[in-house]
Amino acid sequence: MGARLDGTVAVVTGASSGIGEATARALAGEGAHVALLARRRERLEALAGELGDGSSVHEVDVADAEAVARAIADVVARHGRLDVLVNNAGYGSMTPATGSALSEWRTMVDVNVNGVLGTTHAALDHLRRAATGERGIADVVTVSSVAGRKVSGPAVNVYAATKHAVGAFSEALRQELGTDHVRVGLVEPGLVRSELTEGQGAAQQAEAEQELGLMEPSDIADAIVYMVTRPRRTAVNEILVRPTEQAR
Ligand SMILES: NC(=O)c1ccc[n+]([C@@H]2O[C@H](COP(=O)([O-])OP(=O)(O)OC[C@H]3O[C@@H](n4cnc5c(N)ncnc54)[C@H](OP(=O)(O)O)[C@@H]3O)[C@@H](O)[C@H]2O)c1
């Protein structure tokens, strides 16, 4: 028996580290060709070296909608289809509003909101076309956050706002695309060990102060693979996944 995504093509944004890297690996493990998008080319090339022919490297800033559109067009031109889009690239800077740099707020909006919009916009027609093919289904999965459901403290201000925004967009998209057999899913992780959390000291702080066992990126990749490998009749709309001990 073949793997469950044999013959399909997936795009993963933010594939150069953390959850995106783990997701790219997991989708490739299911047989998908995975187009790896991020800014750090050398990190993407290292992953592509591991995945071999089943992957391609696209150095792109997701905040640059034209560059994203070119990358998606390139993927479809090379491979003829696009079945799965994983909107994962993200940036978080958790500091109180007072004293925050406006540029940090703008970066979060550019990457977490405009990045998702630009990538989805570029992929939409290709996904709808893939869903009319033999497989009969296509998927958009967006990586939101627990912070896309609730505001767990003042410092998550703009990060939470961006994740709430993509949650709303994703729900509207789900309502529109179901009859076209393009499933739209939202994954909402709690704390995961990655550059995002370690760079802020959040991972270390959570473990030290709350005796919290962090999740690993592969835990979120598992949730994404679950979503995109359901039978055509079943759409998993939302997965909220926290470390067992995480209270908020
Ligand atoms: N870690 C957590 O606890 C946690 C919890 C909830 C949700 N999330 C979400 O999970 C997603 C992945 O985060 P992570 O934890 O895996 O963090 P990470 O290791 O820092 O990964 C972030 C990824 O996004 C990419 N990225 C950032 N800015 C980009 C840009 N302008 N253009 C293209 N790619 C860009 C980075 O690649 P380059 O730097 O190479 O461009 C990197 O591959 C994010 O959406 C984050 O908000 C994380």
Side-chain angles (χ1 to χ4, degrees):
M1 205 173 85
R4 291 175 292 179
L5 297 174
D6 275 343
T8 66
V9 176
V11 163
V12 179
T13 69
S16 58
S17 63
I19 294 167
E21 180 180 349
T23 301
R25 216 174 254 129
L27 293 173
E30 292 293 340
H33 174 94
V34 187
L36 311 168
L37 273 63
R39 294 166 304 176
R40 287 173 292 175
R41 171 173 282 279
E42 68 289 356
R43 296 284 295 258
L44 298 179
E45 281 175 349
L47 179 58
E50 183 190 314
L51 301 180
D53 287 346
S55 65
S56 54
V57 167
H58 305 266
E59 180 184 339
V60 68
D61 182 337
V62 294
D64 179 346
E66 287 178 9
V68 167
R70 280 196 300 275
I72 301 275
D74 185 28
V75 170
V76 176
R78 278 202 237 173
H79 304 288
R81 60 194 285 169
L82 176 56
D83 301 88
V84 175
L85 168 64
V86 181
N87 282 317
N88 163 77
Y91 177 70
S93 169
M94 322 302 177
T95 53
T98 310
S100 281
L102 182 58
S103 59
E104 285 291 292
W105 293 2
R106 287 192 167 139
T107 301
M108 283 186 270
V109 173
D110 281 347
V111 178
N112 301 357
V113 181
N114 292 331
V116 169
L117 299 184
T119 311
T120 306
H121 189 269
L124 214 45
D125 285 348
H126 303 299
L127 293 166
R128 293 177 71 235
R129 195 169 319 116
T132 64
E134 197 183 326
R135 190 166 168 263
I137 196 78
D139 288 274
V140 183
V141 178
T142 297
V143 180
S144 174
S145 169
V146 166
R149 283 200 173 202
K150 56 188 293 186
V151 180
S152 60
V156 298
N157 45 47
V158 178
Y159 182 74
T162 64
K163 295 300 189 181
H164 275 72
V166 294
F169 175 63
S170 187
E171 172 58 14
L173 208 57
R174 185 192 71 75
Q175 292 177 22
E176 177 180 335
L177 297 178
T179 50
D180 292 333
H181 293 98
V182 178
R183 294 182 293 214
V184 180
L186 196 68
V187 176
E188 297 157 311
L191 270 175
V192 178
R193 190 184 316 281
S194 73
E195 290 178 14
L196 191 150
T197 43
E198 297 199 329
Q200 313 241 353
Q204 299 85 332
Q205 191 183 338
E207 284 179 312
E209 291 177 9
Q210 302 172 30
E211 296 179 357
L212 193 61
L214 264 59
M215 292 183 289
E216 297 298 328
S218 61
D219 296 324
I220 310 307
D222 286 348
I224 294 170
V225 167
Y226 179 77
M227 276 183 160
V228 304
T229 55
R230 290 312 84 208
R232 184 173 183 261
R233 63 180 178 271
T234 304
V236 179
N237 303 147
E238 209 168 338
I239 299 182
L240 171 64
V241 49
R242 288 188 178 96
T244 305
E245 303 90 341
Q246 183 175 339
R248 297 187 297 165

